[in-house]
Amino acid sequence: MSLTEREQGTASVPSTPPAGGRRPVPTVADVVRAVTAGPLPVRITGYDGSAVGPADAGFTLSIRSERGLSYLLTAPGDLGMARAYVSGDLTLHGVHLGDPYEALRVLKDELRLRPPALADGLALVRGLGWERLLLPPPPPPQEAAPRWKRMMNGLRHSRSRDSTVISHHYDVSNAFYERVLGPSMTYTCAVFRDTDDTLEQAQAAKYDLAAGKLALKAGMRLLDVGCGWGGMVRHAAREYGVQALGVTLSKAQAQWAQAAIEREGLADLAEVRYLDYRDAPREHFDAVSSIGLTEHIGVRNYPDYFRTLRDRLRPGGRLLNHCITRAHNRAPHRSGAFIDRYVFPDGELAGPGRLISELHDAGLEVHHEENLRQHYALTLAAWCRNLVTHWDECVAEVGEGTARVWGLYMAGSRMAFERNDIQLHQVLATRNGPAGVNGYPLRPDWTA
């Protein structure tokens, strides 16, 4: 076999043992060649000293241990890759771990995977040992339990289970989030007037856009459900003189947000409570905002969710729902294995049409819809830059495995928004009074 054949990944795995009867142990390069087709866009090296792919490739992917190879073999696809990457058994050279966007783009566009031929697959398994498939290594500690095991915490989207999965994602470390999200502590899509806007400018613009759509004015009462670290609550109180209440299922978020409210002298106007949105005060607010909560609700629960928000609105009051969606209504609701195990356990997304239908069916009237997906790609790029800048501090705070999760997740999500695999929609609706009266103007009364 020539070096050129081996480098291009065109050779097959030996399926018959050599003279003497001892079957050679396949190398990492053998495994890679068996499951890829065509030229490799990256260099791949193994713990056993083998290598495949062009030596002058821009990126090198290193499988650093037998455990890493076992992760890849026992959970083919994004889950196995994630396990190996998060554990440090697989690493990328040529990009920063806080922002592997460029390497992910090359892998997605140029790496061609294929199932190995039957004979090659059997030869690999026999050579590597059946125990690699029968006894997979334990997953990294950052991985959440599979969906079936989460049943111990209740049915999907029950109160107890929602509390557990929200804590998994948001109670990582407030100090970590401060470094990644920046001073605004806002973990939702920003709105960029120009690509030269800073992240802080864009987050302030997002809150101003939300406030404008809700027609917030001094003296009004706002309920912000899934309020995070209180960004919308504090902005509405500080900039518009609104009496604002935020609720979140993350205890760490609520503590940080309430401390920020006290620090900024907003306690007479703003409050954040550690509370399920379903337990928010049964009062009639002038406006309700939901910015980044719908992703955690579960699509089957949309009817109850939107009725719950409607019931908190006075007649004529406005609701702004801001959330990630699928690009179309036929897409599956549940997320892939990596997102479900490492980022948003139990998270679900629907198409924008489903959202609008559910809002109408809950007795709300939709007036305006806007897709901000390109803005979310810019937001994620900015968060990755923050992670790169503060990498050492973030690793010291949460460990390298968790920092790797965030770099991988944010870079991958940026690419998904850029390519219209997912979107971000703001939908504005009113709760109408008798005879359809809603106070909504003939033309939108906010500025873009």
Side-chain angles (χ1 to χ4, degrees):
M1 183 186 302
S2 70
L3 179 62
T4 301
E5 287 175 321
R6 293 184 65 86
E7 287 297 305
Q8 294 302 318
T10 57
S12 62
V13 178
S15 58
T16 57
R22 291 183 60 85
R23 185 176 300 277
V25 176
T27 66
V28 169
D30 291 331
V31 175
V32 171
R33 285 193 295 271
V35 298
T36 58
L40 290 173
V42 297
R43 179 79 165 171
I44 301 177
T45 63
Y47 58 88
D48 55 6
S50 65
V52 65
D56 59 351
F59 307 106
T60 298
L61 190 155
S62 295
I63 301 171
R64 302 173 62 187
S65 68
E66 291 189 17
R67 183 177 66 174
L69 184 60
S70 292
Y71 280 141
L72 298 174
L73 293 173
T74 55
D78 64 343
L79 183 58
M81 291 281 287
R83 286 172 173 170
Y85 185 76
V86 171
S87 66
D89 295 307
L90 182 153
T91 196
L92 283 166
H93 305 280
V95 292
H96 194 286
L97 296 176
D99 187 8
Y101 170 83
E102 290 298 335
L104 294 181
R105 183 183 57 77
V106 169
L107 290 170
K108 183 174 179 63
D109 288 345
E110 300 179 36
L111 181 65
R112 295 170 53 200
L113 298 176
R114 64 177 176 89
L118 179 60
D120 288 349
L122 290 174
L124 283 174
V125 171
R126 285 195 296 267
L128 293 168
W130 287 97
E131 64 275 7
R132 285 188 185 272
L133 298 179
L134 299 176
L135 297 171
Q142 291 81 8
E143 182 172 317
R147 290 187 179 101
W148 65 271
K149 275 194 176 180
R150 291 176 215 155
M151 291 288 289
M152 295 182 216
N153 289 321
L155 296 174
R156 190 157 44 97
H157 300 299
S158 63
R159 290 169 183 261
S160 60
R161 184 159 156 180
D162 277 354
S163 180
T164 299
V165 299
I166 289 293
S167 179
H168 174 90
H169 187 67
Y170 293 103
D171 293 347
V172 174
S173 159
N174 285 335
F176 171 80
Y177 280 110
E178 286 173 354
R179 293 180 175 97
V180 174
L181 303 181
S184 75
M185 279 294 272
T186 300
Y187 183 38
T188 47
C189 175
V191 173
F192 292 78
R193 295 187 177 93
D194 187 273
T195 55
D196 292 331
D197 284 355
T198 67
L199 178 60
E200 292 305 302
Q201 290 171 328
Q203 291 293 11
K206 183 266 298 297
Y207 287 133
D208 279 331
L209 179 62
K213 288 180 177 180
L214 292 169
L216 295 184
K217 295 179 178 61
M220 292 177 66
R221 299 180 68 238
L222 168 72
L223 172 65
D224 185 39
V225 295
C227 68
W229 289 271
M232 180 65 188
V233 168
R234 290 180 288 122
H235 190 91
R238 182 177 59 249
E239 304 298 330
Y240 295 87
V242 169
Q243 291 277 347
L245 170 64
V247 298
T248 173
L249 257 184
S250 166
K251 187 175 291 186
Q253 285 182 333
Q255 291 171 344
W256 191 98
Q258 194 58 39
I261 287 169
E262 301 286 345
R263 187 168 60 248
E264 295 174 23
L266 298 172
D268 58 332
L269 288 174
E271 180 187 3
V272 167
R273 300 180 191 173
Y274 171 52
L275 199 65
D276 192 296
Y277 78 95
R278 289 163 284 203
D279 297 324
R282 293 182 177 277
E283 305 168 17
H284 280 177
F285 292 83
D286 299 293
V288 173
S289 54
S290 176
I291 303 176
L293 173 61
T294 315
E295 298 90 334
H296 299 289
I297 296 301
V299 176
R300 289 189 302 175
N301 297 321
Y302 282 2
D304 288 339
Y305 166 64
F306 286 122
R307 282 196 296 266
T308 297
L309 302 188
R310 178 206 64 198
D311 291 346
R312 267 70 176 177
L313 272 175
R314 66 165 174 79
R318 297 187 190 183
L319 163 68
L320 181 69
N321 197 85
H322 167 123
C323 71
I324 302 170
T325 72
R326 298 296 185 197
H328 59 81
N329 298 314
R330 298 180 303 280
H333 298 146
R334 294 190 182 183
S335 56
F338 167 63
I339 295 294
D340 183 66
R341 297 284 189 93
Y342 285 89
V343 185
F344 289 111
D346 290 343
E348 295 182 23
L349 305 177
R354 177 69 177 268
L355 280 174
I356 291 172
S357 294
E358 297 285 4
L359 279 157
H360 276 293
D361 291 347
L364 294 154
E365 182 181 7
V366 171
H367 296 275
H368 186 271
E369 177 278 327
E370 184 175 5
N371 181 9
L372 299 170
R373 74 170 177 86
Q374 293 157 297
H375 295 260
Y376 217 154
L378 293 171
T379 305
L380 286 153
W383 289 341
C384 279
R385 287 194 296 272
N386 285 344
L387 180 56
V388 169
T389 299
H390 301 290
W391 179 257
D392 290 341
E393 302 132 277
C394 288
V395 169
E397 182 67 28
V398 300
E400 184 171 315
T402 298
R404 281 179 175 237
V405 168
W406 279 83
L408 184 62
Y409 148 62
M410 294 191 299
S413 296
R414 171 189 170 186
M415 189 161 58
F417 279 107
E418 286 177 345
R419 299 181 179 209
N420 197 30
D421 295 328
I422 49 178
Q423 300 176 344
L424 188 290
H425 286 263
Q426 283 190 351
V427 183
L428 179 64
T430 57
R431 177 180 181 176
N432 294 351
V437 175
N438 57 32
Y440 195 80
L442 293 176
R443 299 297 302 156
D445 53 356
W446 67 87
T447 56

